[in-house]
Amino acid sequence: MIENFMHRRFDLEGTEIDAAVGGEGPPLLLLHGYPQTHVTWHRVAPVLARRFTVVAPDLRGYGDSAPARDGDYSKRAMASDQVRLMARLGFDRFGVAGHDRGGRVAYRLALDHPGRVGRLAVLDMVPTLDMWEMMDAGMAMSVYHWLFLAQPDGLPESLIGADPAGYLIRTVRSWCADPDVPEPAALAEYVRCFRRPEVIHAACEDYRAGAGADREHDAADRTAGRRIACPVLALWARGGTDGRPYDPLAVWRRWADDVSGREIGCGHFLQEEAPDEVARALLAFFE
């Protein structure tokens, strides 16, 4: 769905990653969130590709990327995938923008591999540890999927598997300010991938890692005083999914010194609901 991009598959240590690559110029990595694929960038990536070499992969286990061979869905493992992917393409240092779960991979990449990331943009999310610490009854009701998908023993896989298309479409539309904004072709692509039991399982493992290893990695970084060294751009939705008011810039400044950003008047899927505004913000930040 991304015009003038080619698709390539990369056999990396631990998994196989499917990625769309297009454009010319400095490298820019775009990471998608739940329950989507790289196609979520279809309205933004062609604009960015006029000035950047844009790499938009499916995260391990999502979309057409293979499941993790070792079963590791921590953001540390996912970030390592992206380092190897970009190195395979000849890029040792690059910009990275991540939405939702992709933002968690992106900031973990910046923490674990500071020499690789020149600039970091995070869309409608704050670090995993902060989310768990802010969790109260109101937030838990709004982000119920954090707790549901992290349940063990295959429970969410079984329930979602009874109607994966219905679950995905309801989830995506309910997180949009206007439920009719997602293009039918994009929704169809998300459903095509999400119908596969291994994709549902990978997504649940992603959230299980969020409740376990990812939270532990964040806590260890905080204790050690480890911070994000590069400039950070935070964009967030006026109609986000968190269900609790907080200042995203204040949260990100606990993790980085150079933080800027602003609210965008849309729902959770900024890159699909406000693509022109997102593209302008990313172009200005990464240039």
Side-chain angles (χ1 to χ4, degrees), residues 172-182 237-240 265-269 273:
V172 171
R173 286 181 170 163
S174 68
W175 292 349
C176 292
D178 178 353
D180 294 324
V181 162
R238 182 175 304 155
C266 64
H268 176 59
F269 300 104
E273 299 182 65

Side-chain angles (χ1 to χ4, degrees), residues 205-228:
E205 287 295 300
D206 172 6
Y207 278 85
R208 289 175 185 132
D214 296 341
R215 183 165 47 162
E216 293 167 4
H217 295 157
D218 281 5
D221 283 340
R222 179 186 288 174
T223 298
R226 192 172 298 114
R227 295 172 63 77
I228 297 169

Side-chain angles (χ1 to χ4, degrees), residues 18 37-39 58 63-64 165 168 185-196 199:
D18 191 83
T37 73
H38 73 277
V39 167
D58 292 337
D64 287 318
L168 182 139
L187 273 177
E189 179 64 8
Y190 304 148
V191 168
R192 176 187 71 81
C193 297
F194 203 71
R195 286 185 188 276
R196 303 202 303 271
V199 173

